[in-house]
Amino acid sequence: MIKLKKVYYKTKARTLGIFVLLSGLFIALFAAIVLLTTPDRVLAHQHQSIQTSAQTQDATKASARNIRGASPCVAIKNEPAPKLIVDPPLPEGLVQGVYWAQYRVENLHIVPVFGTSALQVSPRAGHLHIIVDDLPWWWADASDNNTVDIAGLPPGQHKVKIQLVGTNHNVFPGQVVTQTFTVPARNSAHTH
């Protein structure tokens, strides 16, 4: 029985020693992870602070307001006149019989809002009227998707008139862009 007690205590001591050793290793591993990741966290925070500072400096040069225009949350007193800017049609589209012309507007939000009561909205709202080849009809584009897209144009010379209009469909003075262009003859099938 004495021999059995010695074996029991030796086994218990070894088990306790292994437990203490493993616990120590676990604590050392945890401490190493914390120490190794702390500099990365500090560096990441410093990098983020530098980026935020750079963004603040860039914001004064090209703020959202400077690029996108006024916020729709605040009425604008003495709004400047709206302006329509249209790029020439993209040649990649013309060879397919498609007119793609990118555009942007200033001092106006293009939205699907219509009617005379909407004329009092500030910032000002409106949309585009698009006329092809002097046809007697037009269509309204209130999508503000940045590109006028007209497909299925046959080869030959064409004319597209783009008008910037208010919610009551009246053209803003001087805000009409007319482009004359040629769709080249093509042998391939229409791919648009």
Side-chain angles (χ1 to χ4, degrees), residues 26-96:
F26 178 77
I27 290 170
L29 180 63
F30 180 76
I33 290 171
V34 168
L35 289 174
L36 289 174
T37 59
T38 300
D40 290 340
R41 289 182 189 162
V42 170
L43 288 174
H45 179 70
Q46 287 174 345
H47 180 70
Q48 184 179 10
S49 296
I50 291 168
Q51 280 183 328
T52 303
S53 175
Q55 288 172 348
T56 302
Q57 290 172 352
D58 288 345
T60 59
K61 295 177 185 171
S63 71
R65 181 183 179 95
N66 290 343
I67 300 299
R68 300 273 327 252
S71 169
C73 299
V74 179
I76 300 171
K77 295 178 183 174
N78 303 318
E79 284 185 81
K83 186 174 182 182
L84 172 65
I85 298 98
V86 181
D87 291 350
L90 298 173
E92 298 88 346
L94 293 179
V95 298
Q96 301 176 56

Side-chain angles (χ1 to χ4, degrees), residues 145-164:
N145 70 353
N146 135 327
T147 303
V148 174
D149 182 347
I150 305 168
L153 294 169
Q157 191 170 23
H158 296 278
K159 181 166 73 170
V160 171
K161 184 187 295 185
I162 302 171
Q163 303 171 328
L164 186 60

